[in-house]
Amino acid sequence: MFRHCRELLRKPMALAAGRTGRAGLMLSNTPRNNSAMYSFSRKILSSYSRKIMVCSVARKSAHPKKIILGIETSFDDTGVALISSTGRILGEARITQGKEHLNTGGTVPVTAGLLHKERLPDAVESTFKQAGMKLHDIDAVACTIGPGLAPCLDAGLSYAKYLCMEGEKPLIPVHHMEAHALTARMTQSLEFPFLVLLVSGGHSLLLRADGVGSFQQLGTTADDAPGEALDKVARALGVRGGGRGMEDLCRCDLPDVPEFPTFTVPLSGIRNCDFSFSGLKTAAFRRIEQHCKAFLSAATREEGPRSTAITGAERHELLMGLQSKQARKYEITARILSLPENQRMQKSIATAFQDAVFTHIVDRTHRALIFSDNKNIGKKISGLVVSGGVACNTDLRTRLTLLASAYDVPMVVPEQRLCVDNGVMIAWTGLEYFNENKDLVADADAIQAMRYIPKWALGVDARQDVQMANIKLPKRGDFKRAAAGSGGKRSTAPCTKSNVSHFK
């Protein structure tokens, strides 16, 4: 039946693909970074693919619950999951690669891709075993096709294609960031539209979600992602565990921690929702180097504390290393700031840096809330969804909760294991598309022609609209006092035009 349906598809696809008559030609010839053309091509393919969808899944239509397999391999986590149409997780496997990349100073794309290829078969087998199911029991395979590292995306998509061909199942291509955005709908009753803040080691986005596959991009990063900046500064400070280790350090109780001058919050004078963390990271590096040089110089002149961990002969060598442009200079700063006599300064710098990062994130989210609350852009948002690895930070969650409560907007944060990259979010997003019969690719040729997209923007770019709105924020802290005084009810203090001119 599948072959018969595929033959039915060939003629109309020939019209869409031109002279060759090969389904999926538009995808194979479309540049990977051309998201607009790719979306257009995918819509064409999907419209024809629906013709055989009726045939290929007819034997499952009598079953009231749909089962979707999700595969996530965009970076260095291998994620696989099976979920039902009720949102129940039937089986799940998640394998991290942290240990394999420890000695390389970061994730090596080719190595990560090879590890995905090695581990995916076992991860899929384990997931099916947990659910007590076989490949023929599912309705579709959802797979991340971008954005991400090319070797990693290729590993996941190649295996998803294999499963689709083996089981005669449709393939649902998934945008990694959309999956983060939609996961909240699996655990909470959340109607469109809603505001989404995605902050992780590779991304920072502010989006208005108007529907499945329908997003307005209000803000994105101009350079680094917040998780990347936190991890790199943590490494220079000698803090183990990256951003999570920095959070623990900031929360620990150390007496007599010196007051540290606050870092300048980026883009404070620019009234848009874009992010920038590169300058903030550079400022932190500069301050770390300054302290380490002063510490070594004072110790050499015997004017400061003497450390038994660093001998006199080493001090001069370390000082010269800090003054050079060697890549290992931050290994030196990490060693110096890890000394017991430097722990208070280590915490002081970490606290100031984390505070500046989170203030920047909250400021941009604040402006996005005001923009989304404007009646001229459509229906009022139903909530604020916060997701991504950085969203696991307790301090950031507290600040965003206060902000959302001041505007009487519920804040929805998926549980921590769903904030990081995982197969569940891909399976759920696949289910959202499956329920709307949208972007399902079932023709064999179209499946084989599917390409991954390492750089893939999400939604319609509405950043210029935010810039033109020229939204002035209330003074920092106003919404905190308003939220505290309102008991969770909406406070008009920071939100009304009579109090603050938002649209000057």
Side-chain angles (χ1 to χ4, degrees):
M1 179 177 290
F2 185 80
R3 292 180 180 177
H4 174 66
C5 293
R6 187 176 65 185
E7 292 301 322
L8 290 177
L9 182 65
R10 286 187 183 277
K11 291 183 179 180
M13 281 306 302
L15 296 175
R19 297 180 180 179
T20 64
R22 179 177 175 81
L25 178 66
M26 297 182 70
L27 283 181
S28 62
N29 287 345
T30 299
R32 298 177 186 174
N33 61 349
N34 192 334
S35 58
M37 181 61 72
Y38 186 88
S39 300
F40 176 71
S41 303
R42 190 169 67 170
K43 288 179 181 179
I44 294 178
L45 287 176
S46 299
S47 65
Y48 289 109
S49 297
R50 293 192 191 102
K51 295 186 178 182
I52 71 165
M53 276 298 304
V54 178
C55 302
S56 64
V57 300
R59 61 176 181 272
K60 296 290 293 182
S61 60
H63 201 286
K65 293 182 180 180
K66 304 302 179 184
I67 309 297
I68 307 295
L69 173 69
I71 297 176
E72 157 61 24
T73 60
S74 64
F75 193 52
D76 59 358
D77 289 333
T78 306
V80 180
L82 279 169
I83 68 166
S84 69
S85 54
T86 61
R88 180 188 172 196
I89 302 173
L90 305 174
E92 181 184 8
R94 182 172 177 269
I95 309 171
T96 61
Q97 300 180 9
K99 293 181 179 179
E100 287 78 3
H101 299 286
L102 274 178
N103 297 326
T104 59
T107 301
V108 179
V110 175
T111 303
L114 291 174
L115 288 171
H116 284 309
K117 288 182 179 180
E118 291 176 7
R119 295 170 175 179
L120 262 176
D122 290 340
V124 171
E125 182 180 356
S126 172
T127 301
F128 274 113
K129 188 175 181 180
Q130 292 174 43
M133 294 181 174
K134 300 290 184 182
L135 182 59
H136 67 264
D137 293 316
I138 70 172
D139 293 273
V141 178
C143 176
T144 303
I145 66 167
L149 300 178
C152 300
L153 295 169
D154 180 55
L157 181 57
S158 296
Y159 198 72
K161 288 178 180 180
Y162 161 75
L163 293 175
C164 289
M165 302 305 295
E166 186 74 13
E168 296 185 354
K169 304 296 179 182
L171 175 66
I172 307 174
V174 173
H175 192 293
H176 177 80
M177 301 313 295
E178 181 176 11
H180 273 300
L182 296 181
T183 303
R185 283 170 51 84
M186 185 181 81
T187 58
Q188 302 283 337
S189 177
L190 187 65
E191 298 296 327
F192 293 109
F194 53 87
L195 187 65
V196 183
L197 170 66
L198 301 176
V199 278
S200 66
H203 306 277
S204 51
L205 280 172
L206 274 166
L207 305 160
R208 178 184 164 99
D210 295 311
V212 176
S214 177
F215 290 84
Q216 296 181 56
Q217 187 178 124
L218 307 182
T220 187
T221 183
D223 36 64
D224 296 340
E228 178 189 3
L230 288 165
D231 286 346
K232 288 184 176 179
V233 171
R235 188 181 306 169
L237 285 168
V239 178
R240 294 185 178 181
R244 292 182 183 179
M246 186 181 291
E247 178 185 8
D248 294 337
L249 175 63
C250 293
R251 294 174 63 186
C252 76
D253 187 17
L254 280 178
D256 303 323
V257 175
E259 287 286 336
F260 192 80
T262 57
F263 290 101
T264 301
V265 177
L267 306 180
S268 295
I270 300 177
R271 297 180 182 180
N272 61 23
C273 292
D274 285 335
F275 302 91
S276 176
F277 299 96
S278 179
L280 190 57
K281 180 185 68 177
T282 301
F285 285 160
R286 188 181 301 115
R287 192 58 62 91
I288 289 170
E289 289 179 40
Q290 289 173 353
H291 171 75
C292 290
K293 288 177 183 177
F295 174 81
L296 289 174
S297 298
T300 302
R301 296 192 304 268
E302 298 186 356
E303 296 174 0
R306 299 295 295 260
S307 174
T308 56
I310 300 177
T311 65
E314 286 182 301
R315 291 192 189 101
H316 179 71
E317 181 182 348
L318 293 176
L319 192 57
M320 294 300 293
L322 285 176
Q323 293 172 347
S324 69
K325 295 183 179 180
Q326 297 177 7
R328 63 179 293 267
K329 73 163 59 176
Y330 297 117
E331 296 178 13
I332 297 174
T333 63
R335 181 181 176 187
I336 295 171
L337 285 167
S338 298
L339 298 174
E341 54 266 43
N342 281 325
Q343 283 184 350
R344 289 174 177 81
M345 181 56 69
Q346 182 189 49
K347 177 181 178 179
S348 181
I349 297 175
T351 302
F353 180 74
Q354 180 179 270
D355 178 71
V357 169
F358 292 167
T359 299
H360 181 45
I361 292 173
V362 173
D363 281 354
R364 312 322 267 184
T365 308
H366 194 170
R367 182 171 283 107
L369 271 173
I370 296 173
F371 179 80
S372 297
D373 202 35
N374 181 13
K375 296 179 181 179
N376 295 330
I377 68 169
K379 186 179 177 182
K380 183 181 177 181
I381 58 173
S382 63
L384 168 63
V385 173
V386 182
S387 188
V390 178
C392 297
N393 188 287
T394 305
D395 184 25
L396 179 59
R397 288 193 186 197
T398 301
R399 297 186 190 204
L400 290 170
T401 300
L402 287 170
L403 173 63
S405 63
Y407 284 81
D408 195 24
V409 174
M411 192 175 89
V412 180
V413 184
E415 57 183 288
Q416 186 167 332
R417 70 188 187 92
L418 296 180
C419 281
V420 298
D421 294 349
N422 60 86
V424 174
M425 67 181 194
I426 305 303
W428 173 260
T429 304
L431 180 64
E432 293 261 31
Y433 275 89
F434 191 93
N435 288 339
E436 295 196 8
N437 195 25
K438 187 177 182 180
D439 287 2
L440 276 67
V441 183
D443 175 66
D445 289 336
I447 289 173
Q448 292 294 357
M450 184 65 65
R451 300 285 293 272
Y452 55 85
I453 316 171
K455 295 182 179 181
W456 187 9
L458 176 59
V460 177
D461 192 343
R463 292 178 299 162
Q464 190 64 33
D465 295 336
V466 178
Q467 184 84 48
M468 292 179 65
N470 197 26
I471 302 170
K472 180 180 179 181
L473 293 180
K475 292 181 180 179
R476 293 194 187 108
D478 282 357
F479 70 83
K480 295 181 182 180
R481 291 189 291 272
S486 65
K489 296 181 180 179
R490 181 176 182 124
S491 170
T492 57
C495 318
T496 60
K497 292 182 181 179
S498 61
N499 186 24
V500 178
S501 298
H502 293 150
F503 297 90
K504 285 187 176 180

